[in-house]
Amino acid sequence: MKATLSMQNGVAVYALRGDFDFFVRDAFLREVGDRVERGQTRIVLNLRGVSYMTSSAIGALIAADKLLTGAGGRLVLSQISAPVRASLQMVGLLNHLTVSADDARATALCD
């Protein structure tokens, strides 16, 4: 998986591409943890380019959401690809995670 980071109004926006699986799960959680340690607790994940998400990656999303929420921040998922949307819907997470149609709205939801 590849990630491109941009900052929008103090919110870290990651555009992800490729497979989100066990092999990148730990690096993803370390990145979120590092952001929290620096006081940056608002993150948007643009999932438009993610073609596949494993159960371990779904677990990482839940862990990141809890970590950010516990630190007074927020995780927002943006532009979820069809395969990822199907996976999240199958496990019932679309109703529990904050989701947005685009990055601008997702950034606004972080406030």
Side-chain angles (χ1 to χ4, degrees), residues 14-93:
Y14 289 90
L16 306 181
R17 291 184 317 275
D19 294 344
F20 192 171
D21 57 21
F22 174 78
F23 300 105
V24 296
R25 173 192 177 283
D26 290 342
F28 167 73
L29 288 173
R30 272 193 307 276
E31 177 69 17
V32 172
D34 289 348
R35 289 232 163 251
V36 169
E37 285 180 12
R38 292 191 303 258
Q40 299 171 339
T41 59
R42 300 178 302 152
I43 295 178
V44 170
L45 293 181
N46 180 312
L47 301 175
R48 176 182 49 206
V50 177
S51 51
Y52 179 73
M53 183 176 282
T54 65
S55 60
S56 63
I58 291 170
L61 288 180
I62 295 167
D65 184 59
K66 286 181 180 180
L67 179 63
L68 291 164
T69 301
R74 179 170 246 182
L75 174 67
V76 180
L77 308 181
S78 174
Q79 299 185 42
I80 303 172
S81 68
V84 171
R85 182 174 290 280
S87 295
L88 294 175
Q89 185 139 15
M90 186 176 3
V91 296
L93 281 179

